[in-house]
Amino acid sequence: MATPATPVVDDARVVFPASVQQGALVIGKVPAASRVRHAGRDLRVTGYGSVAFGVARDQSGPVHVEVTSRDGRARTIEIEVTPRDWPIERVNGVPGKTVKPPPAIAARIAREQAAVSAARTRDDARTGFAQHFVRPVEGRISGRFGNQRIYNGTPGAAHSGMDIAAPNGTPVKAPASGVVTFADDLYLTGGTILLDHGHGVSSNFLHLSRMDVRVGDVVEQGQVIGAVGATGRATGPHLHWGMNWFDVRVDPLLVLERQ
């Protein structure tokens, strides 16, 4: 990965990176009680002035952050976005009905995806997003964020997270603290848990063989929340760890490397 650029520092109190990669989770610092806007949204600001937002996989050109301090002083921060290469990954041997589902299954998938999307609309004040994230499991990275997927020869959506190969039943730990906002067995993703880290930042854990938490549970970093499996559309046991800022998917590997 490229060496981070020198941060943008304005008045020694507004600090954002000068450039980020596509798929990055951006953490900035502003004066307490500032109003911060990005992509048409007011960002939640912690009591100590931290804000977060995500940069999409296909974001091109600079992104802008508008900061208005408590005294009314306004400024716009421009952050360059570094493009990435997105290789093609061919995945063979997945069940045919998960690639070209019949109408009834397609309707079920749409309902389940809508429920997951609804869970990602939360904007809690909790601050797990600012912790030093840790890997939920150890193992070989078998699939990378953003790579174009072709399932059984049929083009699919870009990969939305990081796959970590691990034996079936391996405990999955929370990479940062948060609250469980979704936990269910879904058609495509099997055992699925969403963990909200606050400020719109969430993690999702897919293909689980076991789920040890329920919606509403508050978990601490490192707490076991489930176990690796191969449920849903999977060819072998692994953990799919995805991250979002609301509906923007971000790369968990960049979040780990940011620390």
Side-chain angles (χ1 to χ4, degrees), residues 18-90:
S19 66
V20 296
Q21 297 183 60
Q22 292 171 323
L25 176 65
V26 181
I27 306 292
K29 291 283 289 183
V30 299
S34 293
R35 182 188 183 194
V36 184
R37 286 184 60 80
H38 167 68
R41 179 190 292 271
D42 283 322
L43 305 188
R44 181 181 290 276
V45 182
T46 67
Y48 50 86
S50 288
V51 295
F53 66 88
V55 175
R57 170 191 184 272
D58 57 354
Q59 175 69 48
S60 61
V63 296
H64 297 90
V65 183
E66 301 168 15
V67 180
T68 304
S69 56
R70 184 165 45 187
D71 61 7
R73 181 185 177 193
R75 68 212 80 173
T76 299
I77 305 300
E78 182 174 283
I79 303 171
E80 295 296 330
V81 178
T82 304
R84 299 169 64 182
D85 293 327
W86 304 112
I88 293 176
E89 291 183 358
R90 299 182 184 276

Side-chain angles (χ1 to χ4, degrees), residues 108 112 182-187 189-192 208 211 231-232:
R108 174 186 169 182
E112 292 176 344
F182 188 92
D184 204 352
D185 185 21
L186 307 185
Y187 185 81
T189 56
T192 300
L208 300 173
M211 292 179 281
T231 55

Side-chain angles (χ1 to χ4, degrees), residues 229-241:
T231 55
R233 184 166 67 185
T235 58
H238 71 282
L239 174 69
H240 172 108
W241 173 28

Side-chain angles (χ1 to χ4, degrees), residues 80-159:
E80 295 296 330
V81 178
T82 304
R84 299 169 64 182
D85 293 327
W86 304 112
I88 293 176
E89 291 183 358
R90 299 182 184 276
V91 183
N92 297 313
V94 298
K97 287 184 178 181
T98 66
V99 180
K100 298 179 180 179
I105 296 298
R108 174 186 169 182
I109 291 171
R111 291 194 301 270
E112 292 176 344
Q113 290 180 335
V116 172
S117 295
R120 292 189 175 121
T121 62
R122 293 176 62 128
D123 188 9
D124 288 5
R126 63 187 66 253
T127 57
F129 76 93
Q131 290 178 316
H132 295 277
F133 277 62
V134 298
R135 280 197 181 205
V137 297
E138 294 298 328
R140 176 179 60 88
I141 297 177
S142 56
R144 293 183 178 272
F145 170 87
N147 289 357
Q148 183 63 49
R149 283 286 179 90
I150 297 180
Y151 296 97
N152 296 351
T154 300
H159 194 222

Side-chain angles (χ1 to χ4, degrees), residues 167-179:
N168 193 67
T170 301
V172 175
K173 300 177 181 180
S177 64
V179 61

